[in-house]
Amino acid sequence: MRIVGGVGRAGAAAAAVLALLAVAGCEVRDTGAGTTGPGVGTGAGSDGRHRSPAGTRSWPGDDRPGKGNGGGSAKGAAAGRATRPDAPPARVLWSRGDSGRSVRALQARLRQIAWLSEAPTGTYGPLTERAVRGFQSRRGLPATGRTDTVTWRRLVAMTHAPGTWEMYPMGGQPAGAPDARCLTGRVLCIDKTSRTLRWMIDGRTLSTMAVRFGTQYTPTREGEFQVYWKSRHHVSTIYHTAMPYAMFFSGGQAVHYSSDFAARGYTGGSHGCVNVRDEAAIARLFAQVRVGDKVVVHP
C-alpha cells in the first residue's frame, strides 16, 4: 500500500474529514484507538470536553457564573436560583380608633421624646396619628400614621418602659380593690396606690375619680375619718387658695376641687388635701355626701 507523507491513504482521508468537521464547529469524537486530530481528546473514552474528575459533580442550584444545574445547562442554572419574594408589609399593631392600655403606653413613649405633648388618653386619635406619622417620616419609615411592628421596635429602642404615672399623668388609673372598711355604709374610699376616690354605699361603687395627695413634707393622713364640715366656696385661711366643694375630714385636710391639679396633673401636689381635677364630678359628689359620712384613706 502506498504511503502519502508517511500516512496511508485511508489515514489521510480520515484526517481530512476530521479537519473539515473541526473547522465547521462540529463535535469530533475519537472513533478509533490512536487516532488524533484537532479537537480530539487524547485519552481513551474522551469526548472532546473537560469532564469533572471521578467522584465530583456540579451542585444543583449553584448560581455562580458558569455553573449549571446537573450538566451545565442554562435552563438548569436558572431553575436552581431561588427567587426572593418581596418582603410582606409590617403588621399594624394599633391605628386610629383603637384604645386601651397598649395605646396609652405608646402615647407615653411618644411623649418621652417630645413627639406628643398631650397626656396619654388611651385612645388613638388624630394627635397620636400625627405624632406617629412624624416619628416615621423622620426615620425614613413609611409615614402611614399607623403603628406597625417596625415603628414600634424603633420607638421602644429609643425610650424606656413608662411608669404608671407617666401613663396616667392626669389620672384615669383604674381603681384598686376597695379597702375592707369601705364595704359598709356611706364611704369616701380613697386609695393612695391607684390615686382614686370611690364613692360607695353599702359596698356598691357609685362613682370613681382621680385624686392627688399631699407632698412629701405635707402628706395626706391615712386612716378612718368622718366628714365633719362642708364648704362650697371655701378659701384656705393659711395658703389663701380656693378650695371649692371642700369636704373636711381631718383638721384642715379636705377633699376638694383643684384647678392646679386640673392644669398640671401629678407634676404638683397638695398641702395634705385630697385634690379632685374633675369639677363636674366633684360637684355631683358634694351634693350627695353628708356630714358624718365615713372617709377611709388607705395606702
Side-chain angles (χ1 to χ4, degrees), residues 186-234:
R186 298 166 57 88
V187 191
L188 291 173
C189 190
I190 301 168
D191 184 345
K192 280 189 168 182
T193 298
S194 65
R195 299 184 184 183
T196 54
L197 180 155
R198 291 175 182 260
W199 169 230
M200 304 180 69
I201 298 180
D202 295 330
R204 185 166 61 97
T205 300
L206 302 182
S207 61
T208 304
M209 57 200 75
V211 292
R212 186 178 71 171
F213 303 101
T215 63
Q216 178 183 356
Y217 301 105
T218 55
T220 302
R221 290 185 280 273
E222 298 175 7
E224 184 174 333
F225 312 94
Q226 285 186 332
V227 174
Y228 70 88
W229 180 34
K230 293 173 61 179
S231 179
R232 167 65 181 82
H233 301 287
H234 193 79

Side-chain angles (χ1 to χ4, degrees), residues 126-140:
L127 293 179
T128 302
E129 184 178 60
R130 185 171 66 187
V132 170
R133 186 180 294 115
F135 176 83
Q136 291 169 326
S137 179
R138 184 69 176 270
R139 281 147 191 87

